[in-house]
Amino acid sequence: MSETIDEHVTRLHRHGVIDMHFDLPMDLYDKRGRTDVLGTDFVDDLAAGDIAVAGVALYLEDRYLPEMGLRVALDQIARLYLEVDASQRFSICRTRLEIERAREQQKIALLLTMEGVEPLGSDLDLLRVFYELGLRSLCLTHVRRNAAGDGGLFAQTGSPAGGLTAFGRDVVRECERLGIIVDLAHISPAGFNDIIDTTTRPPIISHTNARKYFDIERNVTDEQIRMIGQRGGVIGINAVLVSPKKEEATLDRYIDHIEHVRDLIGINAVAIGFDFFEFIFRQWSEPEQVAFQKKFTHAHFVPELGKHSDSRGLTRRLIERGFSDGDIEAILYRNWMRIFEEWL
Ligand SMILES: [Zn+2]
């Protein structure tokens, strides 16, 4: 009576899969004229992928900055709460215990995160307000400059050398005091070092890729990967920037990134930060798509890993590539849960 591979995947997914970067609030805000967007556009796909926890990121497009930044961020949170109330299938969680309770009730736990501190402007007091609204993880910048520092460019060199500002350091210290996970995704190389020097708790990179396979300053070098490992942190692997070459943007190359981080700092430091983005990209007009590709980089979507239901195919491929059951559960679930235990 041997187990089929599908049963094997189901067994490895019994706790679910944790994805620490999903641009959900922006999409809910863009669709604010509709009701039950979670139920119509998202719940089936998330459930088919056995998603247990998703880090859902507040993110502001340039057109809202600076004046509308705070208002749009608050409206994104408002949409999230309204949608969660309407669907009954989700729970916005603030603690590890709330995550566990959501799972017992078969609900998908959402952890509110922030991608770039633009909603704060330069007002540290507002961080407390967002914490009260549920914010539990924060990365300081996207690619652009803000009051905290600069993002790493989608280029091999040229990111600003200034590192974090004094405000950026204050934000990091206040996150540690409140219990908001400090996320090094997107930060410039100089800012990366400043965050590591400022933090005392295990830092994360919610969604990134190894520069070994995609050499841009938005991604991480082997030295940066080791710095996270030395501090007991966790790195989520991004499913969008796996290769600059279309033909190498494959599921296997995604797993190569996982293996690379594992080989450098161990299986307990690598996890998932899919950053599924193709669905938003496809909703844009052609001029918007062209502008995006020009501004950042030509993102090659991975055909077999473009939505949450594809996570079962990822697990199947991890089994085929020889990862043990314990290793796969660490990548999918356990490593992020350990971070939640340490921070939340
Ligand atoms: Zn990002």
Side-chain angles (χ1 to χ4, degrees), residues 18 202-205 225-237 257-272 323-342:
I18 302 180
I204 70 162
I205 310 178
I225 293 168
R226 288 194 191 94
M227 288 161 86
I228 297 294
Q230 280 158 11
R231 299 291 296 280
V234 171
I235 299 174
I237 303 298
H257 285 267
I258 291 176
E259 284 188 345
H260 184 64
V261 173
R262 176 202 63 188
D263 291 347
L264 288 173
I265 59 174
I267 193 69
N268 294 326
V270 61
I272 302 296
F323 283 77
S324 72
D325 288 0
D327 286 359
I328 294 172
E329 287 178 1
I331 296 164
L332 299 182
Y333 183 80
R334 230 176 30 238
N335 294 338
W336 283 138
M337 280 306 286
R338 189 186 77 242
I339 291 292
F340 301 154
E341 280 160 25
E342 297 194 43

Side-chain angles (χ1 to χ4, degrees), residues 76-86 92 94 133-134:
Q76 289 182 1
I77 296 175
R79 292 317 304 174
L80 190 68
Y81 275 88
L82 283 165
E83 285 279 341
V84 165
D85 283 352
I92 298 168
R94 295 153 187 258
L133 294 173

Side-chain angles (χ1 to χ4, degrees), residues 103-219:
R103 295 307 297 153
E104 284 162 16
Q105 296 169 353
Q106 319 257 318
K107 291 185 175 183
I108 298 168
L110 301 178
L111 204 69
L112 185 63
T113 73
M114 183 182 275
E115 185 167 34
V117 297
E118 284 84 353
L120 309 180
S122 57
D123 186 349
L124 191 64
D125 291 349
L126 292 182
L127 186 59
R128 175 60 186 261
V129 175
F130 280 94
Y131 175 81
E132 295 297 337
L133 294 173
L135 183 71
R136 289 297 180 273
S137 180
L138 175 145
C139 78
L140 283 97
T141 70
H142 194 252
V143 63
R144 63 196 169 212
R145 177 189 293 263
N146 63 28
D150 292 281
L153 297 185
F154 285 76
Q156 280 183 344
T157 57
S159 297
L164 289 192
T165 62
F167 174 69
R169 285 197 185 80
D170 287 344
V171 168
V172 171
R173 282 189 281 262
E174 186 68 358
C175 282
E176 292 215 317
R177 195 183 70 77
L178 290 169
I180 299 173
I181 301 165
V182 175
D183 178 358
L184 287 86
H186 286 287
I187 194 76
S188 67
F192 189 103
N193 294 336
D194 287 346
I195 296 176
I196 292 288
D197 288 345
T198 308
T199 50
T200 58
R201 303 173 75 173
I204 70 162
I205 310 178
S206 62
H207 61 297
T208 192
N209 294 90
R211 289 183 67 170
K212 175 182 161 97
Y213 296 114
F214 199 148
D215 187 18
I216 51 176
E217 289 190 329
R218 180 252 179 271
N219 290 337

